[in-house]
Amino acid sequence: MENHFANYQIAIPAKFQEKIKKYCRTGGTSVDTFNAPFKRQVDFWFVALCIAFKEGLIKEKVKDTYNATTAAILSNDSYRIHLMYLIALAEIKDENILTDSKAVFDICSEYANAGIPYLIELLDDPDQKPLWNIYDYLEA
């Protein structure tokens, strides 16, 4: 599938930048998978998007952001593009949304914004390593 999001920026709320980097091995401070379970910030962003959608969190627009990467990186894992279109379709319930890649991307970005603090809270649980926290969440 062609990546119609390639020219967009994956913008993440600036107030979470250091926390997100803490849990990512690329560009972060840790190379330990148990403490930094995500390889890249886009992986963190995508999991936050999926969690927010699954949990029914209210989408959130954020103005103070930083550009983590371009959405061209989504081409590396094309299933993410398909899932983003499905999330937008489930949200809007009108197949015409599938022709508006910017609207689809905006919906997904707003879900990710809502999911980021939820995911950080989950990873921050001190009872065990962040990797096991995310595994426990996914298993449940």
Side-chain angles (χ1 to χ4, degrees):
M1 173 177 218
E2 184 179 344
N3 182 356
H4 295 283
F5 308 133
N7 293 326
Y8 306 137
Q9 289 290 322
I10 293 180
I12 296 177
K15 67 182 178 181
F16 299 119
Q17 184 173 13
E18 293 310 311
K19 275 285 197 179
I20 291 170
K21 286 182 178 180
K22 172 184 171 185
Y23 292 118
C24 298
R25 293 184 304 279
T26 304
T29 57
S30 179
V31 292
D32 174 14
T33 303
F34 290 102
N35 290 307
F38 299 98
K39 182 177 180 184
R40 308 164 300 179
Q41 291 183 60
V42 67
D43 303 322
F44 187 103
W45 178 87
F46 191 77
V47 170
L49 156 64
C50 293
I51 287 174
F53 181 74
K54 176 195 172 288
E55 296 294 334
L57 301 179
I58 297 170
K59 299 182 315 231
E60 185 179 333
K61 291 183 182 183
V62 176
K63 293 186 190 279
D64 185 18
T65 62
Y66 72 97
N67 292 330
T69 187
T70 66
I73 199 165
L74 296 170
S75 298
N76 296 343
D77 302 305
S78 62
Y79 70 90
R80 294 179 185 201
I81 298 167
H82 295 287
L83 190 55
M84 289 171 69
Y85 276 98
L86 290 173
I87 287 171
L89 183 59
E91 172 73 16
I92 301 299
K93 296 175 181 42
D94 179 355
E95 67 272 1
N96 290 321
I97 190 69
L98 301 175
T99 63
D100 188 349
S101 60
K102 178 66 172 142
V104 169
F105 190 79
D106 289 346
I107 289 167
C108 291
S109 292
E110 290 171 14
Y111 268 122
N113 291 341
I116 287 170
Y118 188 100
L119 180 54
I120 289 171
E121 183 178 332
L122 177 76
L123 294 167
D124 278 348
D125 185 338
D127 290 341
Q128 57 187 1
K129 300 276 188 187
L131 179 67
W132 300 126
N133 290 335
I134 192 75
Y135 278 156
D136 287 348
Y137 172 82
L138 294 173
E139 188 175 61

